Amino acid sequence: MDTHTEQKPAKPRPGPQPRLGRPARRAALVVHVIASACWLGLTLGLLALGSTAATDGSAGTVEASVRAMKLFADWLLLPVAFLTLLSGLLLSLGTTWGLARYRWVYTKFWLTLATTTATVFALRPGVNSAVTAVAAGGPLPDAGDVLFGPVVSLSAYVFMTVISVLKPWGKTRRGRRRSQAFA
């Protein structure tokens, strides 16, 4: 009689994720900070142009403002938004911060994704409808079309900048479990 019982192989313990080397991490961080600063600056520019369009009575100034907003929205915002999102993902997945290990990183990821989505589905269509109406000789249809997006975006970017500096809230449940597994 065989007394040896066959044991199931142990599940492999999750090992540390591959990390970016120092030069790659620094390069990704520089790209991320520059792209984020550009996104913040573009949003400030959109807010200034939207405020001008919403408060100026001159049809020429209103049209120039919304046309400039359209240029920003069509050619600059989305590339900068996607560069910010991708460089942030690279940093989170390639460093010890992780994507879902710390609450502040997780919050920044979801806010970046939400503001990028809002740019595509709310801000750009609002600006485009404003340009169409003003170019046809009509007044600005709704000041909210040119003000709401930049105000919300600016608030989100300032908040993300603050939590990037302060790194509040500690680890997520997943981050705590992972730390205990390697302890």
Side-chain angles (χ1 to χ4, degrees), residues 70-151:
K70 182 170 174 41
L71 286 174
F72 279 26
D74 286 350
W75 294 101
L76 298 173
L77 274 181
L78 286 181
V80 167
F82 286 124
L83 186 58
T84 302
L85 182 63
L86 292 175
S87 61
L89 271 173
L90 178 65
L91 282 168
S92 66
L93 297 174
T95 65
T96 57
W97 292 111
L99 180 60
R101 200 170 298 153
Y102 290 88
R103 286 185 179 102
W104 71 272
V105 175
Y106 204 54
T107 301
K108 276 187 63 178
F109 169 73
W110 285 109
L111 276 174
T112 302
L113 196 58
T115 52
T116 301
T117 303
T119 296
V120 172
F121 294 109
L123 185 125
R124 289 182 71 213
V127 168
N128 288 336
S129 71
V131 168
T132 302
V134 170
L140 187 65
D142 183 8
D145 286 345
V146 294
L147 288 174
F148 184 71
V151 167

